[in-house]
């Protein structure tokens, strides 16, 4: 328990995320944009047919662990009814406040879960102390080490009746099949913009913020389906501008976190100008801008170039002047280069509160490097000839070597002869020294 509390404090220090925690959904009905999941869960709760293990897959910030917590409350709620937690009883409150003994949250990403899974294996057979079910929520379950995953699997194979597992992951393809097959799987989707705007409007009403719908749409768009990112953006805006937020302020904040420089970096990528590219990344970092947001805009821009190149410009929702500029850039770049760049920057993983631009810098450098496949046969071919040349140089050296060895042996022979000569010499000296004393 003490361990868990320390972890929470650590994550709190990393960033404010006040809205994210404060406005966390507390009922299945409040979970945004995942009706296909919440409806099924509600039915299962109503009919008492809950599974022993669930696997929640989907992008970050889509409500996986929040839903896990709600589920933990709903199965244990003392008033329990209608497939939702009451959020008023002792157990519901303990879970909401994060001090319920019978709900354990494990973050497999932090230490790969070795200690926690070992502890879980030991404790899982004991009945819950207060609640009906002991609920284990294991976040980023794909990060578990192999021994930890195996230990978990053993528990999943024969789950005690009083235990429920909620496994969450952003990368289900990395979860061992043996674990996947024992869970009821739900796929969380990126939250649609409309649903996100509605939720943001609710938060604004609750926080007494004055902000137009068009601004909320802009926030929702840049959060690309992650409610957590949208809430954090809103929080940043309030920290910057206060509770009255104008559209141009939102544009300014989103604008300064990218647009121009994302476009600039895209040009350097097309030109394969590493120095200029690194300079752009450096200036974005130095201004303390959100690198994740910047990278998103860059990827979105590269995607636009790719679509134009593929003749699908109609799919891009941009004003005509911006579009014609992109067309100019897309013309100068081959399709393979654009797809490589989009892929590399899409794979860049930046922590929300991390300030290291290294992943971006690496992607920039890799973009400018020659293509992997054609480079492979070319590189060994060129050094192969100098290696042969060296060998032929070495060979004449080795042949004269034995001729040097031959004179070397007589020298050694002379030395061995010399040694006995030197050895008796001091014996002659010794009697010589006492001689003057006599
Ligand atoms: Zn309750």
């Amino acid at each position: 328990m003490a361990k868990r509390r320390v972890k929470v404090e650590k994550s709190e220090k990393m960033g404010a995320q006040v809205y994210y925690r404060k406005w966390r959904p507390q009922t299945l009905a409040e979970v945004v944009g995942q009706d296909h999941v919440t409806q099924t869960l509600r039915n299962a709760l109503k009919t008492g047919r809950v599974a022993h293990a669930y696997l929640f897959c989907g992008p970050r910030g889509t409500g996986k662990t929040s839903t896990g917590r709600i589920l933990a409350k709903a199965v244990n709620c003392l008033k329990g009814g209608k497939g939702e937690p009451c959020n008023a009883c002792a157990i519901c409150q303990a879970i909401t406040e994060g001090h319920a003994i019978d709900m354990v949250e494990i973050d497999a990403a932090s230490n790969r879960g070795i200690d926690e899974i070992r502890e879980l294996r030991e404790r899982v057979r004991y009945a819950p102390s207060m609640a009906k079910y002991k609920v284990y929520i294991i976040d980023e379950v794909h990060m578990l080490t192999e021994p930890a995953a195996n230990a978990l699997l053993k528990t999943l194979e024969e789950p005690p009746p009083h235990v429920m597992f909620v496994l969450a992951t952003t990368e289900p393809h990395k979860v061992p099949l043996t674990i996947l097959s024992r869970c009821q799987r739900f796929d969380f989707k990126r939250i649609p913009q409309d649903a996100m705007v509605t939720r943001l409007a609710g938060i604004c009403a609750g926080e007494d913020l004055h902000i137009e719908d068009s601004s909320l749409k802009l926030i929702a768009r840049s959060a690309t389906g992650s409610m957590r990112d949208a809430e954090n953006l809103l929080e940043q805006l309030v920290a910057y501008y206060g509770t009255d937020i104008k559209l141009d302020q939102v544009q300014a904040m989103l604008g300064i976190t990218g647009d121009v420089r994302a476009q600039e970096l895209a040009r350097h990528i097309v030109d394969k100008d590493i120095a200029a590219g690194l300079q752009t990344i450096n200036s974005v970092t130095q201004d303390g801008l959100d690198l994740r947001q910047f990278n998103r805009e860059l990827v979105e821009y590269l995607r636009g170039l790719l679509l134009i190149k593929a003749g699908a410009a109609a799919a891009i929702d941009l004003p005509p002047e911006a579009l014609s500029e992109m067309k100019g850039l897309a013309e100068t770049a081959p399709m393979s280069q654009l797809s490589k760049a989009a892929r590399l920057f899409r794979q860049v993983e930046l922590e929300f509160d991390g300030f290291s631009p290294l992943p971006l810098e690496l992607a920039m450098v890799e973009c400018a490097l020659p293509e992997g496949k054609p480079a492979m046969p070319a590189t060994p071919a060129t050094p192969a000839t100098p290696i042969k040349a060296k060998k032929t140089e070495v060979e004449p050296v080795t042949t004269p070597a034995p001729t040097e060895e031959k004179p070397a042996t007589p020298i050694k022979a002379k030395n061995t002869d010399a040694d006995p000569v030197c050895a008796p010499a001091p014996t002659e000296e010794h009697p010589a020294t006492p001689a003057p004393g006599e």
Side-chain angles (χ1 to χ4, degrees):
M1 280 306 289
K3 240 186 206 171
R4 274 204 295 144
R5 232 165 260 158
V6 171
K7 248 179 234 163
V8 171
E9 276 166 23
K10 205 171 102 190
S11 67
E12 277 171 6
K13 269 181 205 162
M14 282 167 69
Q17 301 203 11
V18 174
Y19 290 170
Y20 167 64
R21 277 178 287 122
K22 188 172 169 185
W23 294 97
R24 229 184 157 132
Q26 301 299 341
T27 61
L28 290 172
E30 281 176 18
V31 175
V32 180
Q34 313 296 349
D35 294 349
H36 61 295
V37 176
T38 51
Q39 189 56 47
T40 313
L41 288 177
R42 215 177 287 128
N43 286 340
L45 286 162
K46 275 183 201 165
T47 54
R49 284 186 206 152
V50 284
H52 277 290
Y54 289 97
L55 180 69
F56 292 169
C57 314
R60 59 190 295 283
T62 50
K64 300 185 296 295
T65 51
S66 295
T67 304
R69 285 174 169 207
I70 296 166
L71 194 58
K73 284 193 274 192
V75 292
N76 286 318
C77 181
L78 299 174
K79 289 181 186 168
K82 294 179 185 172
E84 290 276 15
C86 76
N87 283 312
C89 71
I91 290 182
C92 280
Q93 281 188 338
I95 292 176
T96 303
E97 287 158 18
H99 55 71
I101 303 161
D102 295 318
M103 197 197 71
V104 181
E105 275 188 68
I106 297 172
D107 178 13
S110 67
N111 68 347
R112 311 209 62 194
I114 297 169
D115 296 338
E116 279 94 341
I117 299 292
R118 192 179 298 141
E119 204 179 301
L120 182 153
R121 287 274 291 151
E122 284 164 14
R123 292 196 179 176
V124 83
R125 53 203 142 105
Y126 300 116
S129 52
M130 273 176 74
K132 193 174 161 197
Y133 287 98
K134 203 161 194 164
V135 181
Y136 288 92
I137 299 178
I138 307 179
D139 199 12
E140 298 298 358
V141 69
H142 65 275
M143 297 284 282
L144 287 180
T145 57
E146 210 181 310
N150 284 336
L152 174 65
L153 180 64
K154 275 181 196 139
T155 315
L156 287 176
E157 278 167 349
E158 287 172 52
H162 56 265
V163 171
M164 176 189 270
F165 287 97
V166 177
L167 313 179
T169 181
T170 48
E171 299 181 63
H173 58 280
K174 289 186 184 167
V175 178
L177 206 64
T178 44
I179 289 182
L180 276 177
S181 65
R182 297 192 182 273
C183 299
Q184 190 173 341
R185 173 173 171 165
F186 287 101
D187 287 285
F188 285 62
K189 294 172 184 160
R190 287 190 188 279
I191 300 162
Q193 278 183 33
D194 292 351
M196 207 182 269
V197 167
T198 309
R199 179 69 179 158
L200 286 173
I203 295 174
C204 290
E207 294 286 333
D208 203 18
L209 306 177
H210 305 283
I211 183 165
E212 295 148 68
D213 253 19
S214 50
S215 298
L216 295 181
K217 273 183 194 154
L218 213 55
I219 294 170
R221 208 181 106 187
S222 72
T224 58
S226 166
M227 197 66 218
R228 189 185 314 171
D229 286 2
E231 285 161 344
N232 287 338
L233 254 169
L234 183 65
E235 204 176 320
Q236 279 178 30
L237 279 162
V238 174
Y240 244 76
Y241 300 114
T243 52
D244 270 300
I245 300 161
K246 302 274 174 284
L247 179 63
D248 61 329
Q249 292 173 324
V250 179
Q251 282 170 333
M253 176 167 259
L254 296 177
I256 52 161
T257 54
D259 278 336
V260 182
R261 275 182 283 194
Q263 202 176 317
E264 194 181 295
L265 186 56
R267 180 167 288 281
H268 298 323
I269 290 166
V270 169
D271 294 343
K272 297 192 176 176
D273 188 343
I274 297 182
L278 294 181
Q279 222 157 26
T280 302
I281 295 168
N282 191 37
S283 80
V284 171
T285 314
Q286 278 188 338
D287 289 353
L289 303 180
D290 185 345
L291 294 180
R292 282 170 48 82
Q293 179 61 25
F294 174 74
N295 189 45
R296 264 184 207 142
E297 282 167 26
L298 175 68
V299 171
E300 197 53 35
Y301 195 84
L302 290 169
R303 175 180 166 265
L305 293 179
L306 206 60
L307 286 174
I308 291 169
K309 195 79 191 173
I316 308 168
D317 180 24
L318 273 179
E321 57 273 20
L323 202 59
S324 75
E325 209 182 316
M326 286 177 88
K327 276 180 181 163
L329 188 57
E331 269 170 24
T332 63
M335 182 76 122
S336 60
Q337 193 195 358
L338 292 175
S339 65
K340 181 186 175 185
R343 198 170 51 243
L344 281 169
F345 280 93
R346 179 71 185 81
Q347 286 166 351
V348 163
E349 281 184 27
L350 295 156
E351 288 300 313
F352 183 80
D353 300 294
F355 297 104
S356 170
L358 183 65
L360 286 175
E361 290 165 347
L362 286 174
M364 174 67 220
V365 171
E366 276 173 52
C367 274
L369 290 177
E371 284 295 325
K373 278 181 185 171
M376 283 307 282
T379 12
T382 28
T385 29
I387 286 167
K388 270 182 194 165
K390 270 179 202 160
K391 269 184 187 166
T392 45
E393 275 164 31
V394 171
E395 272 162 356
V397 178
T398 42
T399 28
T403 49
E404 275 170 26
E405 268 170 32
K406 274 171 195 168
T409 29
I411 289 167
K412 271 181 194 168
K414 270 177 202 165
N415 279 348
T416 44
D417 286 352
D419 281 341
V421 177
C422 293
T427 47
E428 275 172 8
E429 269 170 34
H430 281 288
T433 27
E438 271 176 4

